[in-house]
Amino acid sequence: MHQISDVAKRLGVSRSTLLYYEKIGLISAKRLDNNYRSYSEHDIEKLIFILQLKNSGLSLQESLDTFEQKLRPDLLQEKLDQLDEDIAKKQQARELLAALIGQQSLRDFHIQSETKSPRAHQEWLQSQGLNSKDSQRLRWLSKDINQHESYMSEFNDIFNSLERWAPGSKNETLAALKLVSDNIKSILEIGCGHGVATLPLAQHSNASITAIDNEASALDYLASKIADKKQQDKIQLLNADMSELPFKEERFDLIWSEGSAYIMGFENALRYWKGFLNPGAFIVISELIWSTDTASDKAREYWGCNYPDMQDRASRLVQADKLGLKLIDDFSLSDQAWDNYYKPLKAAIDKSRSKLGQSEVLNDIDDEIAIAEMRDSEFDYQFFIFQL
């Protein structure tokens, strides 16, 4: 016979735990003449055995029940399934913690956050010390806070050599311009990049143009082009964030954005930007849209990760209408407009392969080009011309 203190020490449990086991019937104690509890060797072995069963995920009561009936395969399978689920969750938790301290990629975390909670994701990135520009670039480009600087360095090496940073053409820029009033006196171009739309707008309108971008090197490049074309009097360049415009409200007759509204999200961009328009003014935006309800799984998966807010034409028109914007006209970009972007991009990455090797940047661009080449009638860039 064994006293309670000896049993507790042998099993590595507390005295109160043994008393609980006795209360629920796992073991029974005999009272000695001095009223001390005493346990038999059989009691101890039975308890050890039951605790082994408990380690499989069975409850204490279920473990005890095995002494009165055969094991239930259905119950054991249920416990096994639950254990597998718990292990998977623990593994996911471990992977996330490892990624947060830089031991592995955070890409999946950023992609899921952007899909499910984009505003909170943006706030969190800025709380980690990223400014607005870098947080936007991480959300849409690098998708990994641990590798952001190296990714953006390689990205800039490729894209700074390109004239266009999105599908488009001069002819379609001018076609959209013809759909707005001839009396436009002031234009705000958002996301001007290297100025592929800026200069045609200046050359084919009488308006003064304020062109903004958050990439200083692009503005420096554009400034030299403006000087060559002697358009300095018509175009003012400004390094600014499209989501924090440094202007008074109701200032512009036309806001122009080719391929950049997705950074804020189409609806959010319209809602914010329209406050800087004069009454009766215009917004012209080119936006990536679904052009079919039966897009391939591959296309849906790709854009689900890279532009979760992508919608079809009808949905965008409903959003604009709710914001008080009237559709003047809209049209899809031509195949030539796509080629104007993707052919130089493909040439640029082919040139960079020997230098960058198996780069995350090159892999991402390869994926984008592959999706663009199979687009057929699944998705398009659409020019929308709205009036306030």
Side-chain angles (χ1 to χ4, degrees), residues 96-356:
L96 178 55
L97 286 173
L100 287 169
I101 61 175
Q103 293 183 359
Q104 60 192 57
S105 174
L106 259 180
R107 278 203 150 205
D108 288 344
F109 169 76
H110 288 300
I111 290 171
Q112 291 177 19
S113 298
E114 194 60 37
T115 302
K116 298 177 180 179
S117 51
R119 284 181 293 183
H121 185 212
Q122 168 79 5
E123 292 174 5
W124 183 82
L125 289 172
Q126 292 185 287
S127 75
Q128 302 309 301
L130 274 70
N131 59 30
S132 179
K133 173 184 173 180
D134 280 334
S135 63
Q136 288 176 358
R137 286 183 154 202
L138 188 145
R139 291 169 65 196
W140 300 110
L141 299 172
S142 71
K143 300 184 178 69
D144 188 348
I145 197 170
N146 298 323
Q147 302 296 326
H148 179 64
E149 289 187 11
S150 59
Y151 186 101
M152 290 312 306
S153 176
E154 294 178 3
F155 181 89
N156 287 331
D157 284 346
I158 295 172
F159 276 81
N160 284 343
S161 67
L162 303 176
E163 286 292 306
R164 288 192 173 274
W165 291 352
S169 74
K170 178 180 177 180
N171 287 341
E172 284 156 315
T173 294
L174 296 180
L177 181 61
K178 288 181 179 179
L179 294 169
V180 303
S181 169
D182 293 333
N183 297 322
I184 298 298
K185 296 180 180 179
S186 58
I187 299 175
L188 171 61
E189 186 191 3
I190 298 176
C192 62
H194 284 164
V196 290
T198 315
L199 289 170
L201 291 174
Q203 293 163 349
H204 293 82
S205 75
N206 296 318
S208 62
I209 300 173
T210 302
I212 73 164
D213 202 283
N214 64 6
E215 180 53 57
S217 62
L219 295 176
D220 291 341
Y221 176 82
L222 177 52
S224 65
K225 290 172 64 176
I226 291 171
D228 290 342
K229 299 294 184 180
K230 296 180 171 52
Q231 294 287 338
Q232 300 97 317
D233 293 340
K234 292 188 67 174
I235 303 172
Q236 176 188 2
L237 301 182
L238 189 62
N239 190 322
D241 185 338
M242 66 174 64
S243 63
E244 297 177 359
L245 296 176
F247 310 114
K248 294 181 180 180
E249 293 188 348
E250 297 188 3
R251 171 172 173 179
F252 298 99
D253 297 325
L254 170 62
I255 288 179
W256 196 278
S257 172
E258 292 194 29
S260 65
Y262 76 94
I263 294 172
M264 290 183 64
F266 181 87
E267 186 176 17
N268 290 334
L270 289 183
R271 180 181 291 107
Y272 177 56
W273 294 347
K274 74 170 189 171
F276 299 92
L277 291 175
N278 293 319
F282 298 85
I283 295 183
V284 176
I285 290 182
S286 68
E287 165 77 354
L288 188 64
I289 64 166
W290 292 112
S291 50
T292 179
D293 294 332
T294 58
S296 64
D297 291 342
K298 191 171 183 179
R300 290 283 180 185
E301 180 181 0
Y302 178 82
W303 291 118
C305 292
N306 290 278
Y307 189 16
D309 187 43
M310 189 168 162
Q311 304 287 334
D312 59 18
R313 174 182 178 274
S315 298
R316 293 308 191 201
L317 294 182
V318 168
Q319 290 171 340
D321 182 67
K322 289 180 178 179
L323 292 171
L325 295 168
K326 174 186 175 183
L327 178 68
I328 301 301
D329 207 343
D330 68 305
F331 59 88
S332 299
L333 295 188
S334 64
D335 289 340
Q336 183 61 55
W338 287 82
D339 289 343
N340 289 346
Y341 171 57
Y342 281 106
K343 285 186 175 181
L345 177 59
K346 190 171 184 178
I349 65 169
D350 287 344
K351 185 178 179 181
S352 300
R353 288 191 193 280
S354 60
K355 175 183 176 182
L356 300 180

Side-chain angles (χ1 to χ4, degrees), residues 302 342 345-346 349 364-374:
Y302 178 82
Y342 281 106
L345 177 59
K346 190 171 184 178
I349 65 169
D364 287 347
I365 297 174
D366 281 337
D367 289 344
E368 181 181 345
I369 290 174
I371 289 294
E373 288 178 343
M374 60 167 278

Side-chain angles (χ1 to χ4, degrees), residues 16-27:
S16 60
T17 299
L18 282 178
L19 293 176
Y20 172 71
Y21 289 161
E22 184 178 333
K23 180 180 180 181
I24 63 175
L26 290 183
I27 54 176

